[in-house]
Amino acid sequence: MSHPSVSRIGRTLAGLTAVTACSAGLLSATAPASAAPSPAPGARYESGYPNLAPTPPMGWNNWSYYQCGGLNEQVVLDNARALVRSGLAHRGYRTVTIDDCWMAKQRGPQGELVADTAKFPHGMAHVGQELHKMGLKFGIYEDVGTLTCGKYPGSLGHFEQDAKLFASWGVDYLKADGCNVPIPKGQTKEQAYRALYTQQSRALRATGRPITFSISAPAYFQFSGDALWHRVIKWSAELGNLWRGGADIAVQQSTPAAKWASISGNFRYNANLAELQRPGRWNDPDFLLVGDSGLSRDEMQSQMSLWAVMAAPLISSTDLGRLSPQAQSILGNREVIAVDQDPLGVQGHIVQQDGDAAVLSKPLRNGDRAIALFNGGSTARTLSIRAAAAGLPAADSYRLRDLVTGRNGRTARTLIARNVPPHATVLYRVRAER
């Protein structure tokens, strides 16, 4: 008996309008009334999937920039070399993930996945070996349904076989999508997804190889009501290390305006999920578009700063060989990366919002706070927040460091960012001084 399939959210721009409309009321969704307490920094999980991502994953994925048509072995390895050559790998961008469309349309004679030899003439094990020689990690894509989103073989019915194959290829990271998931009679959509992702999670663990597991299940429940959406996120956090929460980020062919709407929309939904994240279990609002994107410097910097304060995975999707000095400076900013990778592992919370503007506060392990003041509007404005409202302790004064400009300052009680341009974000690291 055939069952209806579920299409991937956001594979085309058709989903962008809905995302933007949903986000028009800034951060309108509600967080759950209570959440499980966060474990101590560096704690090991006694149940569920191994804690293989103590800080948010960083790296590169081909999807947003190249999609299926531009994917091949040379593109992947050229971008990997650019990560190393540019110094971005040294800054933490080390996982190179090959997204959909890498495989042949049919499995091999033993039911095994087979690489598309026109795209990957030397095979996937070779790609993994080359990445490992560069000091990088190898990520790959599959789907828990019957087919991937691009209509290539899915892992349903082959979870153990595929996981063993990935381990034999030296795979370090699996992104498992949720297209074409059949819903058996008598089961709910959630039950079907949970069963398949549970099988994938167990199969990865059984290989004995540490494979970071990225789950896409929550993205397929984004518009199913907050209670169900949040519940899917909670069990995703038991089965893997990170999860895609909602719609895909825009692709390279999108207009700059559509790209900004996508960044803004993904920020708005993800910022509201902070109570569902915990150290080692990460909300993923999708790829960084910093690069050859048509976005302004302020827009690119905003995405980087907002993703960092949300403790989001920093996964670039652009042509790294064509990075402008401006884009490379944004991606490689050590101090912004340090906010994202802070070992305390807490996602920044919204502490103030006013129309299209929002202020987020993220506690850091050494007692500092990262404070992001985001102007999502179309005109410049001055943004401010009192230190107490930002979660800072009482103090005689506060030392501020602008992590983008490198300027230092002090304030007695109010943090101010003057004349913040449209779509720009000011990111301060703040320390109380007594």
Side-chain angles (χ1 to χ4, degrees):
M1 178 183 292
S2 63
H3 302 288
S5 63
V6 181
S7 300
R8 180 174 186 174
I9 295 174
R11 273 297 195 188
T12 69
L13 291 179
L16 273 178
T17 303
V19 173
T20 306
C22 176
S23 304
L26 185 64
L27 309 169
S28 58
T30 56
S34 63
S38 297
R44 295 180 62 85
Y45 292 88
E46 298 301 320
S47 62
Y49 202 74
N51 185 16
L52 302 178
T55 58
M58 296 175 64
W60 177 88
N61 179 299
N62 66 276
W63 179 258
S64 179
Y65 193 87
Y66 295 96
Q67 294 99 63
C68 290
L71 174 63
N72 59 54
E73 182 179 299
Q74 183 173 344
V75 161
V76 172
L77 294 180
D78 282 352
N79 276 278
R81 295 181 187 104
L83 275 180
V84 175
R85 184 174 62 250
S86 66
L88 290 173
H90 184 67
R91 305 279 170 101
Y93 295 88
R94 295 192 185 95
T95 299
V96 172
T97 301
I98 301 169
D99 213 282
D100 203 353
C101 312
W102 60 265
M103 64 187 89
K105 287 285 188 176
Q106 302 294 327
R107 288 178 175 266
Q110 304 303 317
E112 74 277 16
L113 293 171
V114 178
D116 182 335
T117 56
K119 296 176 180 177
F120 294 91
H122 298 96
M124 307 313 287
H126 169 79
V127 174
Q129 291 167 4
E130 292 302 303
L131 293 174
H132 291 153
K133 286 178 186 176
M134 297 182 219
L136 302 174
K137 294 183 178 181
F138 178 23
I140 207 163
Y141 168 101
E142 241 296 359
D143 193 288
V144 299
T146 56
L147 297 170
T148 73
C149 302
K151 307 301 183 185
Y152 294 82
S155 277
L156 196 155
H158 296 268
F159 290 112
E160 290 186 12
Q161 181 180 25
D162 292 353
K164 289 177 181 177
L165 182 63
F166 294 153
S168 74
W169 288 346
V171 167
D172 305 295
Y173 179 108
L174 174 66
K175 174 183 174 181
D177 216 330
C179 274
N180 303 302
V181 169
I183 313 299
K185 186 176 180 179
Q187 287 190 19
T188 66
K189 176 182 170 182
E190 181 194 3
Q191 288 171 331
Y193 271 77
R194 186 169 187 172
L196 296 185
Y197 276 100
T198 297
Q199 291 180 59
Q200 180 69 86
S201 180
R202 289 173 178 167
L204 292 175
R205 294 190 69 173
T207 67
R209 182 175 177 82
I211 300 176
T212 301
F213 188 21
S214 172
I215 291 175
S216 294
Y220 293 87
F221 293 83
Q222 183 180 11
F223 303 114
S224 300
D226 285 352
L228 176 54
W229 187 28
H230 293 165
R231 190 165 69 240
V232 172
I233 290 174
K234 287 181 178 180
W235 56 251
S236 295
E238 293 302 319
L239 298 177
N241 305 114
L242 64 156
W243 50 88
R244 287 287 319 288
D248 287 9
I249 209 77
V251 296
Q252 173 61 12
Q253 297 92 325
S254 307
T255 66
K259 289 176 183 176
W260 174 250
S262 176
I263 290 169
S264 180
N266 283 21
F267 157 68
R268 294 176 197 281
Y269 86 66
N270 193 74
N272 233 29
L273 301 177
E275 296 298 334
L276 294 166
Q277 174 267 349
R278 65 179 188 264
R281 298 295 195 261
W282 311 107
N283 289 314
D284 180 6
D286 213 8
F287 307 128
L288 293 171
L289 300 186
V290 178
D292 183 19
S293 58
L295 296 167
S296 71
R297 181 189 180 103
D298 285 332
E299 290 169 340
M300 290 190 293
Q301 183 63 64
S302 267
Q303 189 187 20
M304 182 71 181
S305 296
L306 293 171
W307 265 229
V309 83
M310 291 191 297
L314 300 180
I315 302 174
S316 169
S317 189
T318 190
D319 182 349
L320 295 172
R322 298 177 59 187
L323 276 184
S324 67
Q326 185 179 81
Q328 183 166 328
S329 174
I330 292 169
L331 284 173
N333 186 313
R334 292 180 185 273
E335 293 183 277
V336 175
I337 292 171
V339 168
D340 180 81
Q341 297 288 295
D342 185 79
L344 192 61
V346 176
Q347 178 171 330
H349 287 68
I350 294 174
V351 290
Q352 180 175 292
Q353 51 187 322
D354 176 14
D356 288 325
V359 180
L360 292 85
S361 177
K362 172 182 169 65
L364 305 175
R365 186 172 66 173
N366 72 341
D368 291 357
R369 286 247 171 190
I371 310 293
L373 300 98
F374 168 54
N375 177 14
S378 57
T379 58
R381 59 182 296 186
T382 294
L383 305 176
S384 64
I385 186 170
R386 294 181 67 86
L392 288 157
D396 296 332
S397 64
Y398 302 91
R399 187 173 68 188
L400 281 65
R401 179 167 176 82
D402 186 320
L403 300 187
V404 175
T405 67
R407 297 192 186 101
N408 296 313
R410 278 185 171 77
T411 184
R413 61 175 77 78
T414 302
L415 285 64
I416 300 175
R418 302 186 187 280
N419 299 315
V420 180
H423 302 173
T425 300
V426 173
L427 182 60
Y428 289 133
R429 187 170 185 133
V430 185
R431 176 171 298 178
E433 296 187 325
R434 295 179 177 84

